């Protein structure tokens, strides 16, 4: 289903990753006048080209942090920098794949994927990139279909293609594989790793799945309950492709689940 | 088309060429067509059999036309298999043809033949046909005038309403000034402005255009505004992270997302502008179908009034159909839309 060849083609515009500095960031929401602290003094320094997985309990503030990195919201305290430049607003060098696919229902699959190039006014000369991105997620034959005709997993793949087509320096993924069946999910994980290795973009991946984090990332950050604090910052020094049965990863997985409060069962 | 039902086969034990099922199938397939044909023959006969109680010149031609329609109905439905899509369309509408034939027969008998319904007020079908043939130029002039007035006013109102709605939905400053005005003036029926409009505008035509535009503009504005205001922030977030500028957010996110609401406003505006059109034509403008109705009433020409009403309803229905087909084309991405 998922083609492997177009990877080389999408490489036509190589972009190295950017460094990301999250410095003492705190954030809170106002809910009916009371303040709900969501992030508390989070500092993470991400090297260019690193693949960082963020793990944490549901509702702890992971998506909120990603919105700050994207520049969609401003933190209450602290700063975020991309390659030394302060992040104040969204920029296509940092592309987000949101937790919901949020495809535009009035646009066909192809037009959805073309969104970024169109918004930046470069679609006319770069139509090929849209086709390549669709090939990459295995949906080339669905190019003229409207989002309501897609399955949940297909919609999420379109959302992934819509992000990748922009050649981001930092790819921000909020549980992008959450709705996929386990088979497609494993294939997409492999695609993601090989894409990341070829293009070298910095990746920030939120996931609920410790195993996914360990198979994909070279650094796993575990957050505490809300308000999120960095509880552990774990290097995963293992070559790719990684194997799920790797005992080293198994140890790390037990350790992470312990940090998340699941040690009794494992 | 010609399939045997399961019960036919079971009843006869084995598939054999018996007469009854064939007849039954034929009746099921073509029965309605035959009925339609009979109904229209009845209409034709009712035209020609008795003498008219009044003096109408088209009775004879109407009877002949009824027979021709009866023949078309019969051959069209019986031979539907050979006629392709027109045959299928006819077959589908056959029950309506039956109903129409019966209705016309009753109408003919009740008016022209026995005058069961009081006469000048309930003219027979042939007198309405007479209007269409003998008073055609004046009727066409009226149609043309009405369409021109309606189209001009509607397009102006819809455009202004759309632009205003988008501006209010998008810009807080515009909303601050426009919202109270809209609340104060919008709910007023446009016809209430009629006396003032006819005084202040240089011509009755421009006054009516203004009123039609007003009647169209209010619902279009309000619904466009609510459409733009209800666009999910998630769409803007996606577009912004992909590098969209504000103009892109308005033109490529807010407007397409609001379009279903806009069309609701356009439909409502169409309905209320029809009402304004007719009233304006009856009161001030010396042309158009509203004026024709008024004029016919002055002469107690009831057949002309019915004739004009029929044309009017065809035009209004045609306008709605047109708007629906534009909507269906623009909103193909929506699922489960109402078919007109
Ligand atoms: N716009 C908002 N206004 C008010 N509160 C918000 C808003 N967005 C998020 N929150 C609150 O902030 C907290 C963190 O939300 P967030 O979406 O970041 O969680 P998450 O870690 O991504 O959870 P999940 O893994 O379930 O997606 C939640 O308690 C939520 O109620
Ligand atoms: Mg989340």
């Amino acid at each position: 289903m998922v083609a492997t060849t177009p990877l080389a083609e999408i490489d036509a515009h190589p972009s190295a990753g950017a460094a990301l500095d999250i410095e003492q960031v705190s954030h809170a929401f106002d809910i009916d006048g009371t303040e709900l602290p969501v992030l508390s003094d989070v500092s993470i320094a991400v090297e260019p080209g690193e693949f960082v997985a963020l793990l944490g309990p549901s509702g702890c503030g992971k998506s909120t942090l990603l919105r700050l990195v994207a520049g969609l919201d401003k933190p209450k305290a602290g700063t975020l920098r991309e390659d030394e430049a302060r992040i104040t607003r969204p920029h296509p060098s940092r592309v987000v794949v949101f937790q919901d696919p949020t495809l535009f229902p009035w646009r066909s699959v192809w037009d959805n994927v073309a969104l970024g190039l169109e918004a930046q006014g470069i679609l006319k000369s770069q139509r090929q990139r849209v086709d390549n991105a669709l090939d990459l997620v295995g949906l080339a034959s669905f190019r003229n279909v409207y989002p309501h005709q897609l399955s949940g997993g297909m919609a999420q793949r379109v959302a992934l293609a819509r992000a990748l087509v922009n050649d981001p320096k930092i790819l921000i993924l909020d549980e992008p594989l959450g709705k996929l069946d386990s088979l497609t999910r494993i294939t997409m994980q492999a695609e993601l790793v090989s894409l990341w290795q070829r293009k070298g973009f910095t990746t920030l991946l939120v996931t609920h799945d410790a195993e996914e984090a360990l198979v994909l990332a070279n650094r796993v950050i575990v957050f505490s309950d809300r308000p999120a604090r960095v509880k552990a910052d774990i290097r995963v020094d293992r070559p790719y492709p990684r194997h799920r049965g790797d005992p080293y990863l198994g140890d790390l997985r037990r350790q992470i689940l312990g940090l998340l409060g699941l040690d009794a069962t494992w | 088309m010609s399939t045997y039902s399961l019960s036919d086969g079971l009843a006869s034990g084995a598939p054999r060429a018996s007469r009854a099922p064939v007849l039954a199938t034929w009746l099921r397939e073509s029965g309605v067509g035959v009925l339609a044909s009979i109904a229209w023959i009845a209409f034709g006969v009712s035209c020609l059999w008795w003498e008219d109680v009044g003096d109408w010149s088209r009775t004879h031609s109407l009877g002949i036309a009824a027979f021709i329609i009866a023949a078309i109905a019969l051959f069209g439905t019986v031979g539907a298999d050979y006629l392709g899509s027109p045959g299928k369309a006819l077959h589908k509408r056959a029950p309506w043809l039956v109903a129409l034939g019966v209705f016309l027969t009753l109408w003919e008998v009740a008016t022209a033949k026995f005058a069961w319904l009081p006469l000048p007020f309930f003219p027979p079908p042939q007198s309405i046909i007479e209007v269409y043939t003998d008073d055609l130029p004046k009727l066409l002039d009226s149609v043309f005038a009405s369409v021109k007035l309606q189209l001009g006013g509607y397009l102006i109102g819809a455009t202004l309403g759309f632009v205003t709605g988008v501006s209010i939905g998008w810009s807080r400053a515009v909303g601050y000034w426009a919202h109270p005005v809209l609340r104060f003036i919008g709910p007023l029926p446009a016809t209430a402005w009629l006396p003032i409009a006819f005084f202040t505008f240089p011509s009755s035509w421009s006054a009516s255009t203004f009123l039609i535009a007003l009647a169209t503009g209010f619902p279009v504005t309000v619904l466009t505004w609510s459409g733009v205001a209800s666009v999910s922030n998630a769409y803007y977030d996606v577009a912004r992270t992909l590098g969209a500028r504000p103009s892109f957010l308005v033109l490529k996110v807010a407007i397409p997302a609001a379009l279903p609401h806009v069309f609701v406003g356009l439909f409502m505006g169409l309905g209320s502008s029809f009402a304004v059109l007719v009233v304006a034509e009856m009161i001030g403008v010396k042309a158009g179908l509203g004026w024709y109705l008024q004029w016919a009433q002055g002469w107690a020409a009831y057949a002309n009034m019915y004739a004009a009403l029929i044309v009017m309803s065809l035009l209004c229905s045609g306008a709605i159909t047109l708007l629906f087909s534009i909507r269906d084309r623009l909103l193909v991405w929506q699922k489960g839309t109402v078919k007109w």
Side-chain angles (χ1 to χ4, degrees):
Chain A
M1 196 56 194
V2 178
T4 42
T5 36
L7 281 172
E9 291 162 35
I10 212 166
D11 241 359
H13 309 264
S15 65
L20 175 69
D21 277 310
I22 302 171
E23 291 163 11
Q24 296 169 342
V25 165
S26 298
H27 199 60
F29 288 108
D30 279 331
I31 295 181
D32 292 336
T34 58
E35 193 160 87
L36 178 79
V38 175
L39 298 173
S40 143
D41 200 20
V42 174
S43 293
I44 305 168
V46 182
E47 308 269 305
E50 234 180 349
F51 195 135
V52 178
L54 308 177
L55 273 170
S58 176
C60 74
K62 304 181 296 292
S63 299
T64 306
L65 181 62
L66 294 195
R67 285 182 64 85
L68 298 180
V69 172
L72 288 167
D73 294 327
K74 285 191 181 60
K76 287 264 156 82
T79 49
L80 298 106
R81 288 177 215 279
E82 176 190 5
D83 276 346
E84 309 299 315
R86 205 168 162 162
I87 295 172
T88 51
R89 69 179 95 126
H91 189 274
S93 69
R94 286 169 268 122
V95 177
V96 191
V97 179
F98 290 93
Q99 208 162 353
D100 289 326
T102 40
L103 301 179
F104 290 12
W106 58 90
R107 285 175 165 245
S108 67
V109 164
W110 196 92
D111 288 332
N112 261 290
V113 175
L115 200 65
L117 301 183
E118 193 182 328
Q120 295 155 47
I122 51 172
L123 179 61
K124 281 228 170 65
S125 54
Q126 319 251 319
R127 303 176 66 87
Q128 189 63 34
R129 283 166 70 180
V130 179
D131 296 329
N132 292 344
L134 274 175
D135 279 342
L136 183 72
V137 295
L139 289 174
S141 55
F142 287 86
R143 47 184 295 155
N144 294 324
V145 153
Y146 284 97
H148 78 260
Q149 296 163 306
L150 296 174
S151 73
M154 285 156 83
Q156 221 149 20
R157 274 144 71 196
V158 175
L160 196 59
R162 179 174 65 185
L164 291 177
V165 79
N166 297 287
D167 263 317
K169 287 188 191 307
I170 300 179
L171 182 62
I172 302 164
L173 303 165
D174 198 347
E175 297 184 50
L177 310 180
K179 281 188 190 160
L180 301 184
D181 63 284
S182 54
L183 216 69
T184 320
R185 192 180 168 121
I186 289 169
T187 329
M188 287 302 293
Q189 285 172 352
E191 285 299 335
L192 205 56
V193 166
S194 82
L195 193 71
W196 164 69
Q197 285 181 315
R198 278 155 198 270
K199 313 258 293 183
F201 47 68
T202 309
T203 308
L204 227 52
L205 169 82
V206 164
T207 174
H208 271 131
D209 181 354
E211 188 182 87
E212 179 172 274
L214 290 168
V215 169
L216 296 178
N218 42 27
R219 197 170 155 197
V220 177
I221 290 173
V222 184
F223 286 113
S224 69
D225 234 326
R226 193 187 62 233
R229 265 171 293 103
V230 176
K231 210 170 179 183
D233 188 339
I234 300 163
R235 298 225 149 259
V236 189
D237 274 326
R238 272 329 229 197
Y240 298 90
R242 292 175 180 166
H243 300 284
R244 267 146 238 276
D246 188 335
Y248 176 79
L249 295 185
D251 281 346
L252 281 182
R253 179 161 173 266
R254 254 185 299 281
Q255 192 186 329
I256 289 169
L257 290 176
L259 286 165
L260 291 170
L262 282 171
D263 32 2
T265 40
W266 298 89
Chain B
M1 281 246 118
S2 48
T3 49
Y4 286 91
S5 77
L6 191 60
S7 58
D8 289 341
L10 288 176
S12 50
R16 64 196 163 88
S18 82
R19 207 92 202 118
V22 173
L23 192 66
T25 313
W26 182 82
L27 265 183
R28 206 177 319 123
E29 293 295 324
S30 315
V32 190
V34 174
L35 270 182
S37 175
I38 291 172
W40 280 84
I41 289 173
F43 177 44
V45 169
S46 73
C47 283
L48 302 180
W49 189 262
W50 296 284
E51 278 299 311
D52 283 350
V53 295
D55 180 24
W56 295 292
S57 56
R58 305 285 168 197
T59 313
H60 190 72
S61 340
L62 187 61
I64 304 292
F67 289 136
I68 293 173
I69 292 172
I72 293 173
L74 185 65
F75 292 116
T77 42
V78 170
D81 288 351
Y82 310 100
L83 286 176
S85 62
K88 262 202 200 91
L90 193 65
H91 192 264
K92 208 174 98 188
R93 287 168 181 75
W96 264 107
L97 269 179
V98 179
L100 212 58
V102 171
F103 172 72
L104 286 171
T105 310
L106 291 178
W107 181 10
E108 177 71 26
V109 172
T111 52
K113 304 307 176 182
F114 298 103
W116 293 328
L117 296 170
L119 238 184
F121 312 111
F122 293 94
Q126 50 265 49
S127 73
I128 290 174
I129 298 290
E130 208 174 315
V131 174
Y132 287 138
T133 52
D134 297 5
D135 205 21
L136 190 64
K138 196 193 259 153
L139 208 50
L140 280 183
D141 278 350
S142 303
V143 167
F144 184 70
S146 284
V147 169
K148 202 173 100 185
L149 187 56
Q150 168 70 24
L151 206 63
Y154 185 73
L155 289 183
I156 293 172
T159 312
L160 287 180
F162 178 73
V163 173
T164 319
V166 171
S167 318
I168 300 177
W170 190 255
S171 149
R172 201 160 289 179
V174 176
Y176 177 81
W177 291 107
H179 185 201
V181 177
L182 208 62
R183 275 182 74 159
F184 187 63
I185 291 176
L188 199 63
T191 38
W193 289 94
L194 227 138
I196 296 177
F198 278 119
F199 268 119
T200 47
F201 276 78
S203 65
S204 61
W205 184 81
S206 56
S208 317
T209 303
F210 165 74
L211 293 177
I212 291 170
L214 196 65
T216 310
F218 177 60
V220 174
T221 305
V222 170
L223 276 138
T224 305
W225 166 28
S226 88
V228 170
S230 68
V231 177
S232 158
N233 272 329
Y235 293 138
Y236 295 127
D237 286 346
V238 167
R240 283 170 64 210
T241 58
L242 294 175
R245 276 180 286 275
S247 63
F248 188 91
L249 295 183
V250 176
L251 296 174
K252 300 292 179 95
V253 183
I255 290 177
L259 221 46
H261 288 257
V262 175
F263 270 95
V264 175
L266 287 172
F267 279 109
M268 289 168 59
L270 197 57
S272 52
S273 67
F274 285 149
V276 175
L277 172 76
V278 174
V279 174
E281 283 178 343
M282 282 181 169
I283 291 182
V285 190
K286 293 277 168 284
L289 285 167
W291 168 80
Y292 188 95
L293 275 177
Q294 190 82 349
W295 168 84
Q297 196 205 22
W299 290 97
Y302 291 95
N304 296 56
M305 292 172 63
Y306 284 100
L309 268 184
I310 292 171
V311 172
M312 216 183 250
S313 93
L314 285 178
L315 283 178
C316 293
S317 157
I320 298 268
T321 308
L322 189 68
L323 193 55
F324 260 105
S325 68
I326 293 173
R327 185 202 67 165
D328 288 347
R329 185 155 295 210
L330 283 178
L331 301 186
V332 276
W333 51 271
Q334 275 195 317
K335 51 179 170 179
T337 47
V338 180
K339 288 275 169 280
W340 168 249

